Amino acid sequence: MEIKNAADLRREYPELVNQVEQEAAKNAIQAERQRIRDIEEMSLPGSEEIANKAKFTEPVSAAEYAKAAMKHVKTQGMAYLQMADEDAKNSGIGQVKNQLPDGIGMAGTSEDEFMNAIKDTGGQYRKG
């Protein structure tokens, strides 16, 4: 009999076809488990949603997930920096002035005494 398709092959060699199918299924299961394991090992806190999507709802390879995860982290980092910059601008820190108490800061006044005390103390901790 001439074998022209999978049905003919199955009819003529059912045990061989079954063996090939079982081996293919075993390999596919192992590959899928490894793909999921790789994605889980790369997942960072806060990326659970994209990890689950990559594992189950919109499956992608671990390499494709790694690219998507890095883009996500980059986006999060940029958003954090923008928020920190806005927070600093809105905090009023730019308007803070360094004002010394009265009587300190003029030559020959208590600033000199204060600085001399610091200099004297520093000498005690020098090595050598």
Side-chain angles (χ1 to χ4, degrees):
M1 170 173 221
E2 186 176 340
I3 298 173
K4 295 181 181 181
N5 55 42
D8 292 343
L9 184 62
R10 185 180 308 281
R11 194 172 26 257
E12 288 297 312
Y13 302 100
E15 289 179 32
L16 178 62
V17 169
N18 188 37
Q19 182 181 356
V20 169
E21 287 175 342
Q22 286 180 2
E23 188 67 27
K26 179 182 170 187
N27 290 341
I29 289 169
Q30 288 176 343
E32 180 64 1
R33 286 180 179 162
Q34 186 62 48
R35 182 187 74 83
I36 290 172
R37 189 176 304 119
D38 290 343
I39 290 171
E40 287 179 352
E41 288 175 356
M42 286 186 268
S43 295
L44 297 171
S47 66
E48 293 83 3
E49 184 178 333
I50 63 170
N52 283 332
K53 190 184 255 187
K55 290 187 291 186
F56 305 116
T57 58
E58 297 175 20
V60 295
S61 70
E64 290 170 343
Y65 168 74
K67 290 176 190 176
M70 289 305 296
K71 286 179 184 177
H72 180 70
V73 168
K74 183 178 177 182
T75 301
Q76 282 181 321
M78 290 174 66
Y80 174 80
L81 290 175
Q82 280 181 324
M83 289 187 328
D85 187 48
E86 284 297 314
D87 190 38
K89 286 177 184 173
N90 295 334
S91 71
I93 192 74
Q95 286 74 40
V96 174
K97 304 289 185 222
N98 184 11
Q99 295 181 350
L100 298 172
D102 290 339
I104 297 180
M106 292 180 248
T109 61
S110 55
E111 179 182 344
D112 293 333
E113 294 172 26
F114 181 68
M115 290 306 294
N116 289 335
I118 291 174
K119 290 175 186 174
D120 289 343
T121 305
Q124 296 174 8
Y125 299 105
R126 291 189 185 138
K127 293 183 180 179

